[in-house]
């Protein structure tokens, strides 16, 4: 069995076959997946019935795992999964769907907004790996947008305008845009905005991409309403159907994406049903702005 990748969308997204993610990979398999990620930005693996430990081991082939602390309002003692896993399910510790008005559920609804994982961290994520342990039949697709293609399609004037812009990203902005505004002092400190360049260059391919997310709430040096209107406009451009792939989940799919080159969002589904999705996140290696964070 050897690894093969076929393209699922005209401009990005590959489907990988000939690999079993439960076992340790050979260096050439890891290299083939990395190369596939550089090229396709999203890879889909079907039929991967893995445990959390196997998912963590597979993820470690691509770098250090990002600690999930600081990215949620779920308190440590309420966590269903280990700190190396991001719980993207709609479940509480009892493995039952959270109540409609549960604060954790309302916070997680932010995943329905276009975003790039951990853009609210000073060193944002490289890859995300999402395993569908229990999926829903109707709705709940995860959509991806190719931010390289979105950048390429900007006119020259807009490319010049965005080139050196720096945004501030925070979970406060994405959740705030849904009306989730009540945060404790501790949460406010945890969600302190960080700076990110609006245009990123991929370290391997050299391709530029628009680094947008619903977490972006300001552009340095711009009045806030003007910045938000512009960011909305860019997001609308970047998420046109021609740049978007919609993944319909089958149980035991694992989907892996490059947060430096894509945005994603989950679509609505019946939240009284169990949707058990578990994510590992591979840490990035540097801030997108050279400048150190203001103390
Ligand atoms: C994520 C995420 C979308 C989904 O795991 O980062 O945004 O489909 N999940 O649950
Ligand atoms: Mn996400």
């Amino acid at each position: 069995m050897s690894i093969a990748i076929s393209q699922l969308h005209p401009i990005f997204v590959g489907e990988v076959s000939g690999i079993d993610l439960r076992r340790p990979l050979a260096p050439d398999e890891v290299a083939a997946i990395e190369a596939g990620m550089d090229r396709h930005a999203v890879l889909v693996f079907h039929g991967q019935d893995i445990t959390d430990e196997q998912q963590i081991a597979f993820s470690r082939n691509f770098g250090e795992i990002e600690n999930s602390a600081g990215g949620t309002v779920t308190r440590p003692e309420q966590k269903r999964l280990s700190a190396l896993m991001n719980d993207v399910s709609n479940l509480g510790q009892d493995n039952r769907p959270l109540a409609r008005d549960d604060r954790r559920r309302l916070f997680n609804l932010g995943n329905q907004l276009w975003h790039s994982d951990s853009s609210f961290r000073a060193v944002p994520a490289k890859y995300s790996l999402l395993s569908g342990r229990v999926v829903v039949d109707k709705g709940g697709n995860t959509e991806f947008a190719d931010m390289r293609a979105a950048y390429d399609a900007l006119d020259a004037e807009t490319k010049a305008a965005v080139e050196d812009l720096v945004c501030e990203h925070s979970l406060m902005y994405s959740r705030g845009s849904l009306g989730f505004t009540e945060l404790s002092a501790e949460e406010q400190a945890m969600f302190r905005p960080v700076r990110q360049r609006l245009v990123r260059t991929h370290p391997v391919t050299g391709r530029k991409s628009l680094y947008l997310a619903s977490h972006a709430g300001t552009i340095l040096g711009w009045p806030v309403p003007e910045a938000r209107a512009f960011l909305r406009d860019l997001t609308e451009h970047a998420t046109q159907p021609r740049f978007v792939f919609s993944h319909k989940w089958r149980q035991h799919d694992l989907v892996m994406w490059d947060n430096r080159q894509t945005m994603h969002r989950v679509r609505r589904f019946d939240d009284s049903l169990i949707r058990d999705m578990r994510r590992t996140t591979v840490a990035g290696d540097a801030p997108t702005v050279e400048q150190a964070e203001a103390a």
Side-chain angles (χ1 to χ4, degrees), residues 87-253:
D87 194 352
V88 195
S89 75
N90 59 345
L91 309 173
Q93 270 173 328
D94 58 359
N95 287 310
R96 291 155 65 101
L98 296 167
R100 187 172 192 183
D101 61 353
D102 190 295
R103 198 163 178 267
R104 293 165 287 173
R105 170 176 181 268
L106 301 179
F107 187 84
N108 293 343
L109 289 175
N111 281 335
Q112 291 183 23
L113 305 177
W114 285 107
H115 66 282
S116 175
D117 289 333
S118 296
S119 77
F120 52 82
R121 299 186 194 275
V123 175
K126 180 186 178 191
Y127 297 159
S128 291
L129 300 92
L130 187 60
S131 165
R133 306 294 174 84
V134 179
V135 304
V136 292
D137 281 342
K138 237 177 86 191
N141 280 16
T142 306
E143 294 182 343
F144 296 91
D146 186 338
M147 304 305 285
R148 307 164 301 181
Y151 175 83
D152 291 345
L154 295 173
D155 59 44
E157 199 180 320
T158 311
K159 278 183 183 159
V162 294
E163 179 65 25
D164 291 317
L165 294 180
V166 174
C167 298
E168 285 187 310
H169 292 232
S170 166
L171 283 161
M172 252 181 308
Y173 299 137
S174 50
R175 275 46 186 178
S177 75
L178 292 183
F180 188 107
T181 49
E182 275 175 43
L183 298 171
S184 66
E186 199 183 330
E187 287 165 344
Q188 285 179 34
M190 192 161 73
F191 299 156
R192 195 162 52 92
V194 302
R195 295 175 177 189
Q196 305 292 358
R197 291 191 62 93
L198 183 49
V199 177
R200 297 186 73 168
T201 304
H202 193 275
V204 178
T205 65
R207 283 191 75 179
K208 287 186 176 177
S209 58
L210 271 177
Y211 193 40
L212 288 168
S214 53
H215 308 309
T218 70
I219 299 174
L220 293 188
W222 284 42
V224 170
E226 188 179 352
R228 294 204 183 166
F230 187 43
L231 292 169
R232 271 198 201 190
D233 199 34
L234 289 172
T235 301
E236 195 174 307
H237 160 79
T239 56
Q240 294 172 62
R242 64 186 164 127
F243 304 135
V244 172
F245 171 79
S246 181
H247 178 71
K248 174 162 177 53
W249 289 90
R250 301 183 212 159
Q251 191 182 23
H252 303 317
D253 281 348

